[in-house]
Amino acid sequence: MKIQIINGPNLNLLGVREPSIYGNTSIEDYIKELKTVYPDIQIEYYQSNVEGEIINKLHEVGFSYDGVVLNAGGYTHTSVAIADAIAAIKTAVVEVHISNIYAREEYRHVSLTGKNCQGVLTGFGIKGYRLAIESLLI
């Protein structure tokens, strides 16, 4: 089984960016932990601050991988293009948000991308990535 984790803008700063919201764990450390928990799953990680690069990655893996875990960051609320890319691919996508987007600023309450995903996890901290992987195993 192959799962691609895709993170959007500013998520390369996990562990140092606003720890009160996003926690103290770096994404690199958490990916290592996930690979230990799921040794039989090929977990790949990709991060970009550029919308088009996220779309390109979705196109690249969207017909051959078993699942995508996507945290599009701020693009969740603004990117019709990423939403369209999710709709265009065959691979199941689970949207993840570390913080509870409904407990934050009102503009974050709307996910343009979520409607094209298999499901949306929000507010479970960095553990949301593991929950998303679990949902893809069902």
Side-chain angles (χ1 to χ4, degrees):
M1 182 170 212
K2 290 169 52 171
I3 295 178
Q4 176 72 57
I5 297 173
I6 301 173
N7 269 353
N10 301 308
L11 292 164
N12 55 306
L13 299 176
L14 288 177
V16 293
R17 172 189 180 205
E18 300 176 272
S20 63
I21 296 173
Y22 299 103
N24 296 314
T25 305
S26 74
I27 192 66
E28 293 80 13
D29 288 343
Y30 193 66
I31 296 297
K32 287 178 194 172
E33 182 180 325
L34 288 174
K35 288 179 178 184
T36 301
V37 172
Y38 301 103
D40 297 330
I41 299 174
Q42 181 180 336
I43 298 173
E44 296 182 12
Y45 176 68
Y46 179 80
Q47 188 278 328
S48 179
N49 294 315
V50 179
E51 183 179 29
E53 291 176 358
I54 294 168
I55 293 166
N56 288 342
K57 182 55 83 171
L58 286 165
H59 290 176
E60 176 187 324
V61 302
F63 297 93
S64 58
Y65 279 57
D66 299 296
V68 171
V69 175
L70 173 66
N71 184 340
Y75 289 137
T76 299
H77 320 290
T78 63
S79 182
V80 172
I82 291 175
D84 288 349
I86 296 166
I89 63 176
K90 301 281 186 213
T91 300
V93 177
V94 177
E95 181 172 300
V96 171
H97 299 285
I98 295 169
S99 67
N100 180 350
I101 62 173
Y102 301 105
R104 298 191 61 194
E105 303 90 344
E106 189 170 335
Y107 70 88
R108 294 186 195 273
H109 297 184
V110 176
S111 169
L112 298 181
T113 53
K115 72 179 187 70
N116 295 334
C117 294
Q118 178 176 294
V120 177
L121 290 158
T122 181
F124 293 98
I126 202 162
K127 294 179 200 116
Y129 293 92
R130 183 173 179 179
L131 295 171
I133 290 171
E134 286 291 327
S135 76
L136 292 166
L137 298 177
I138 299 173

